[in-house]
Amino acid sequence: MNHWAFITAAYVITLAGAAALALQSWHAMRRAEAAAEALRKKR
């Protein structure tokens, strides 16, 4: 049995998960920056 298919799949899943987490974090950061800017403009 060839084990490389499982190793490749594990890397693909890990990289996709890391990319999704990075994208979600970036979106959260942008929302937080916008909220902070809105609070700054209210003063």
Side-chain angles (χ1 to χ4, degrees):
M1 179 187 268
N2 191 353
H3 61 282
W4 285 109
F6 296 104
I7 293 171
T8 303
Y11 273 105
V12 168
I13 290 168
T14 301
L15 292 175
L21 182 62
L23 187 62
Q24 181 183 9
S25 297
W26 181 75
H27 280 296
M29 179 189 67
R30 298 290 295 185
R31 283 192 306 270
E33 287 176 346
E37 187 65 29
L39 285 175
R40 231 176 283 145
K41 286 184 177 181
K42 279 188 174 182
R43 290 185 176 190

